[in-house]
Amino acid sequence: MSNKLQAFKKNAASLTRSKDADKLLLYNDESIKHGLVLTKEQAVKLLETKDEELRYNGRLEFGEGVIGKLITAFCDSPYMNRQNYSQNLERLVEIFYYYKNETDGQLSDDELIDYMKTFFNGSCEGSLELLESRELDSLARALRRK
């Protein structure tokens, strides 16, 4: 592949990533009501995390994806704050795609996010570790037994 073609592809990917990050930043209009705001760099990192998790879990995603849904669902959590917001969102993206596979598609995206939020704000008291290793693991096992 020529250097010009490689440079073109890299610039096109960067432009697309920037536009996608700008779309994510629109969710700041909602999250700022709870004192939470993503920077452009954090939005880009979230998109990179999403892409890595899609590859790792062998999944494809069409449309806007789940990051916006996760932001909307979790920005009002009492366990989210300025210090952990973007890191928690990255981890929630990872957890989401892992359990999307573990539940064999038996739950819609919205249903899985609702379970995640309910557990996170409830029995997990803001612990992502408990969300992943206890609550969602139990849910996935129960769904596989059906």
Side-chain angles (χ1 to χ4, degrees):
M1 188 177 327
S2 76
N3 287 340
K4 285 183 180 181
L5 183 56
Q6 285 177 332
F8 176 78
K9 285 185 175 184
K10 185 176 180 181
N11 287 339
S14 178
L15 182 59
T16 299
R17 175 76 58 183
S18 180
K19 286 182 180 180
D20 290 344
D22 288 341
K23 288 179 187 175
L24 277 185
L25 293 178
L26 295 175
Y27 288 94
N28 282 340
D29 292 344
E30 177 66 24
S31 64
I32 199 165
K33 296 173 189 172
H34 308 283
L36 304 172
V37 177
L38 288 174
T39 66
K40 179 111 178 206
E41 293 78 21
Q42 290 168 330
V44 167
K45 178 73 171 119
L46 267 173
L47 291 165
E48 289 169 353
T49 298
K50 177 197 77 158
D51 289 346
E52 289 169 14
E53 291 304 311
L54 286 170
R55 276 191 300 277
Y56 179 77
N57 289 290
R59 301 192 66 83
L60 296 174
E61 187 171 77
F62 301 100
E64 191 170 309
V66 300
I67 297 175
K69 290 180 179 186
L70 288 168
I71 291 170
T72 300
F74 284 87
C75 72
D76 66 348
S77 171
Y79 300 104
M80 290 288 200
N81 59 56
R82 288 184 182 126
Q83 291 75 32
N84 69 18
Y85 182 55
S86 68
Q87 293 164 329
N88 280 356
L89 285 174
E90 285 178 41
R91 191 70 186 105
L92 287 166
V93 167
E94 293 168 354
I95 292 169
F96 173 86
Y97 287 113
Y98 178 79
Y99 279 99
K100 192 67 177 169
N101 274 357
E102 288 296 303
T103 58
D104 296 323
Q106 294 182 54
L107 299 173
S108 70
D109 292 355
D110 292 339
E111 289 171 323
L112 180 54
I113 290 169
D114 285 344
Y115 278 115
M116 291 171 67
K117 180 179 180 176
T118 299
F119 292 140
F120 182 77
N121 288 338
S123 60
C124 297
E125 298 179 338
S127 170
L128 292 169
E129 291 77 23
L130 289 177
L131 174 66
E132 182 177 24
S133 65
R134 185 180 71 195
E135 302 299 345
L136 291 177
D137 188 59
S138 290
L139 176 64
R141 278 187 276 123
L143 287 171
R144 284 192 297 267
R145 280 184 288 216
K146 284 186 175 182

